């Protein structure tokens, strides 16, 4: 069974040159990766009653590499699936969560690779450590430290919904980050912008929407609060002295508003939510802030599968033998599709979903032939990734070929 990994290696290692003008640009810098809870891309530059939902991010993206065609690819494992995708460049499972089902597997994740390259690695999150089985899975992924809620001062006043509010979370995280030997890699998982999108009155900074759908109407307010927490964090990164030597990478973990709210969402975005528009709504922001690097909005089609190779590319780290289904977002030789867990996918001009090929941006079906080549690749790729996880194939990653053929 060890020989099954050869098929996967042959598929992912296309032998194409990945180096580009961004390779190694952040060499040796600290890497902070921030999970923006339930944060969809349409929130950026969106306004309610003339007030921006994300005043801080609207400015930050001008000073960052901002990917505005980037998709979440999560399944039932939600936040944990996003973490899994980012750390491994493997797809989440067709049902359930890898974090809870496969924590005993062998992985070769981003934290482990960074550790091998002299980094200290940590995850920070103001909730119970066993949520999504993180405490066990993080060991398999190579995290040195997990600063869970017990490392924070959590009170009735500074918490809501699942746990610590984002502003105190970031404030209290600063000394924890300062305690880490550098260079470090720290993942920070925000929490307040989570369904059912509730806030204490004192934390409300903009009016709600008026669609009549409570979740959608409140969502912009919790998103506004998350934006404010990022502003506080960046200010404190500067005063702590960490800012100049740190790159901050931010991503939306998954959608916040499900298809059950299509009626309200149609009002929000001002058009009918046809199946292809629903796929387009799965865009989340991907923002890379590197001090001293000029900001730019990039329209490359990408997804969470690409986060691990992108970060390694920026740091100029070669992981050696690895199974990665994604590519650096800066590579000029990327595959031309982003696959979703249900077999839907997007290409430059087409969207395939629910058995139909659509011409992007039109809502109209196209000839199936336009989607056919990628359809087969997507199915094959998802099946290969599942095989890696279900048969724990990374055990064999560094076995010599002679041993595998037995
Ligand atoms: C829980 C938080 C939310 O700790 O990460 O998880 P979700 O419900 O979004 O998967
Ligand atoms: Mn989440």
């Amino acid at each position: 069974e060890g020989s099954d990994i050869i098929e996967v290696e042959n598929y992912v290692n296309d032998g194409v040159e990945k180096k580009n003008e961004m390779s190694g640009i952040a060499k040796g810098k600290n890497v902070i990766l921030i999970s923006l809870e339930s944060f969809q891309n349409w929130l950026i530059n969106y306004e309610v009653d003339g007030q921006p939902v994300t005043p801080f991010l609207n400015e930050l993206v001008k000073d960052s590499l901002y990917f505005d065609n980037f998709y979440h690819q999560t399944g039932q494992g939600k936040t944990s699936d996003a973490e899994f995708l980012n750390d491994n460049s493997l797809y989440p499972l067709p049902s359930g969560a890898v974090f809870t089902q496969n924590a005993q597997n062998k992985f070769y994740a981003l934290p482990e690779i960074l550790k091998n390259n002299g980094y200290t690695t940590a995850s920070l999150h103001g909730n119970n450590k066993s949520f999504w089985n993180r405490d066990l899975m993080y060991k398999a992924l190579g995290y040195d430290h997990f600063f869970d809620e017990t490392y924070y001062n959590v009170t009735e006043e500074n918490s809501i919904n699942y746990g610590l509010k984002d502003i105190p979370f970031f404030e209290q995280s600063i000394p924890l980050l300062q305690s880490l030997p550098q260079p470090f890699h720290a993942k920070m998982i925000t929490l307040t912008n989570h369904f059912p999108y509730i806030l204490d009155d004192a934390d409300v900074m903009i009016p709600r929407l008026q669609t009549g759908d409570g979740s959608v109407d409140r969502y912009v307010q919790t998103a506004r609060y998350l934006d404010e927490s990022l502003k506080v964090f960046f200010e404190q990164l500067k005063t702590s002295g960490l800012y100049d030597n740190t790159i901050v990478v931010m991503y939306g973990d998954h959608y916040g508003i499900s298809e059950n709210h299509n009626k309200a969402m149609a009002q929000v975005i001002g058009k009918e939510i046809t199946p292809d528009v629903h796929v387009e709504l799965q865009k989340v922001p991907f923002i890379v802030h590197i001090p001293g690097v000029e900001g730019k909005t990039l329209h490359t089609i990408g997804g969470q599968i690409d986060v691990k190779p992108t970060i390694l590319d920026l740091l100029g780290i070669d992981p050696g033998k690895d199974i990665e289904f994604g590519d650096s977002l800066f590579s000029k030789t990327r595959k031309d599709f982003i696959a979703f867990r249900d077999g839907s996918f997007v290409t430059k001009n087409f969207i395939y979903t629910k058995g139909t090929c659509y011409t992007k941006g039109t809502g109209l079906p196209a000839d199936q032939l336009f989607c056919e080549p990628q359809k087969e690749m997507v199915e094959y790729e998802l099946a290969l990734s599942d095989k890696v996880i279900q048969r724990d194939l990374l055990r064999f990653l560094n076995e010599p070929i002679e041993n595998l053929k037995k």
Side-chain angles (χ1 to χ4, degrees):
E1 59 158 354
S3 60
D4 285 341
I5 197 168
I6 297 171
E7 183 192 1
V8 189
E9 279 175 353
N10 288 343
Y11 177 79
V12 297
N13 298 328
D14 48 15
V16 176
E17 178 60 46
K18 299 277 153 60
K19 285 238 170 12
N20 57 80
E21 74 279 359
M22 296 302 287
S23 300
I25 201 151
K27 196 170 183 54
K29 290 209 185 298
N30 303 317
V31 181
I32 294 178
L33 182 60
I34 304 179
S35 166
L36 306 175
E37 178 57 46
S38 304
F39 199 98
Q40 290 177 231
N41 195 54
W42 62 266
L43 292 164
I44 302 225
N45 289 315
Y46 194 82
E47 292 186 358
V48 183
D49 284 353
Q51 297 183 51
V53 176
T54 61
F56 176 71
L57 285 176
N58 293 351
E59 289 307 308
L60 188 80
V61 295
K62 294 181 194 158
D63 186 31
S64 306
L65 303 163
Y66 166 44
F67 291 86
D68 65 355
N69 274 314
F70 182 93
Y71 296 82
H72 87 81
Q73 296 166 288
T74 61
Q76 290 173 345
K78 306 299 294 283
T79 310
S80 74
D81 276 356
E83 292 186 62
F84 183 75
L85 276 148
N86 291 339
D87 280 357
N88 298 286
S89 194
L90 295 169
Y91 292 97
L93 293 173
S95 69
V98 198
F99 262 51
T100 53
Q101 294 175 28
N102 300 86
Q104 308 305 324
N105 275 29
K106 178 81 189 82
F107 293 105
Y108 187 47
L110 181 66
E112 181 174 338
I113 296 167
L114 294 184
K115 219 155 94 154
N116 293 343
N117 284 273
Y119 277 74
T120 304
T121 58
S123 179
L124 299 86
H125 185 45
N127 189 7
N128 190 290
K129 67 175 180 200
S130 61
F131 202 100
W132 283 128
N133 203 31
R134 284 185 176 108
D135 50 344
L136 295 183
M137 186 62 163
Y138 280 172
K139 296 200 167 87
L141 298 178
Y143 287 93
D144 294 315
H145 306 281
F146 181 17
F147 298 117
D148 65 11
E149 63 179 0
T150 63
Y151 289 80
Y152 294 83
N153 174 31
V154 184
T155 64
E156 182 94 5
E157 292 73 49
N158 74 7
S159 58
I160 195 157
N161 207 354
Y162 278 86
L164 185 60
K165 295 179 188 179
D166 295 338
I167 292 177
F169 166 67
F170 280 120
E171 287 172 340
Q172 294 184 39
S173 293
I174 293 283
L176 296 171
L177 295 175
Q178 285 177 310
S179 76
L180 297 172
Q182 297 188 36
F184 62 72
H185 166 49
K187 170 155 73 186
M188 308 183 74
I189 304 166
T190 63
L191 202 49
T192 310
N193 188 39
H194 192 290
F195 185 83
Y197 310 115
I198 42 170
L199 285 177
D200 288 324
D201 291 342
D203 297 321
V204 172
M205 298 167 206
I206 51 165
R208 53 173 71 183
L209 283 167
Q210 299 292 339
T211 68
D213 178 326
S215 302
V216 174
D217 293 352
R218 289 187 304 273
Y219 179 57
V220 291
Q221 296 181 312
T222 46
R224 173 68 187 83
Y225 175 84
L226 172 52
D227 182 79
E228 190 70 17
S229 74
L230 295 169
K231 179 180 165 200
V232 170
F233 182 57
F234 269 75
E235 280 165 2
Q236 300 204 354
L237 268 184
K238 286 180 183 163
T239 51
S240 72
L242 289 170
Y243 179 84
D244 286 326
N245 201 31
T246 300
I247 71 167
V248 182
V249 181
M250 281 152 278
Y251 68 95
D253 65 347
H254 49 73
Y255 65 78
I257 304 298
S258 74
E259 347 194 31
N260 300 334
H261 304 271
N262 274 357
K263 228 178 116 199
M265 274 310 295
Q267 292 182 51
V268 172
I269 63 167
K271 62 177 173 188
E272 193 195 337
I273 318 284
T274 49
D276 57 313
V277 173
H278 172 72
V279 171
E280 292 287 60
L281 279 173
Q282 306 313 305
K283 281 182 192 167
V284 294
F286 186 69
I287 303 166
V288 181
H289 183 267
I290 309 175
V293 171
E294 211 178 313
K296 195 175 180 184
T297 297
L298 297 139
H299 309 303
T300 313
I301 295 165
Q304 291 163 335
I305 200 86
D306 300 314
V307 172
K308 176 188 186 185
T310 301
I311 291 176
L312 289 172
D313 188 19
L314 289 168
L315 297 179
I317 292 175
D318 176 359
K321 217 170 185 199
D322 193 13
I323 302 291
E324 295 174 355
F325 283 91
D327 278 319
S328 169
L329 290 166
F330 302 106
S331 163
K332 301 282 181 292
T333 54
R334 293 169 48 74
K335 283 189 290 236
D336 64 347
F337 64 82
I338 281 295
F340 299 98
R341 192 50 263 192
D342 68 354
S344 300
F345 60 85
V346 297
T347 67
K348 193 159 180 281
N349 300 313
F350 300 97
I351 291 178
Y352 179 84
T353 187
K354 298 194 162 69
T356 302
C357 185
Y358 292 89
T359 306
K360 225 178 191 174
T362 66
L364 299 172
D367 195 316
Q368 285 285 114
L369 281 175
F370 291 114
C371 289
E372 213 49 54
Q374 289 93 353
K375 182 172 179 283
E376 278 175 28
M377 277 181 82
V378 166
E379 281 167 12
Y380 181 62
E381 183 160 321
L382 289 168
L384 270 190
S385 175
D386 291 346
K387 199 148 104 173
V388 170
I389 298 167
Q390 275 149 2
R391 302 206 198 149
D392 193 11
L393 291 183
L394 292 173
R395 283 177 295 156
F396 306 112
L397 190 61
N398 287 304
E399 284 281 319
I401 291 192
E402 318 71 272
N403 297 357
L404 296 178
K405 293 216 164 113
K406 272 182 216 154

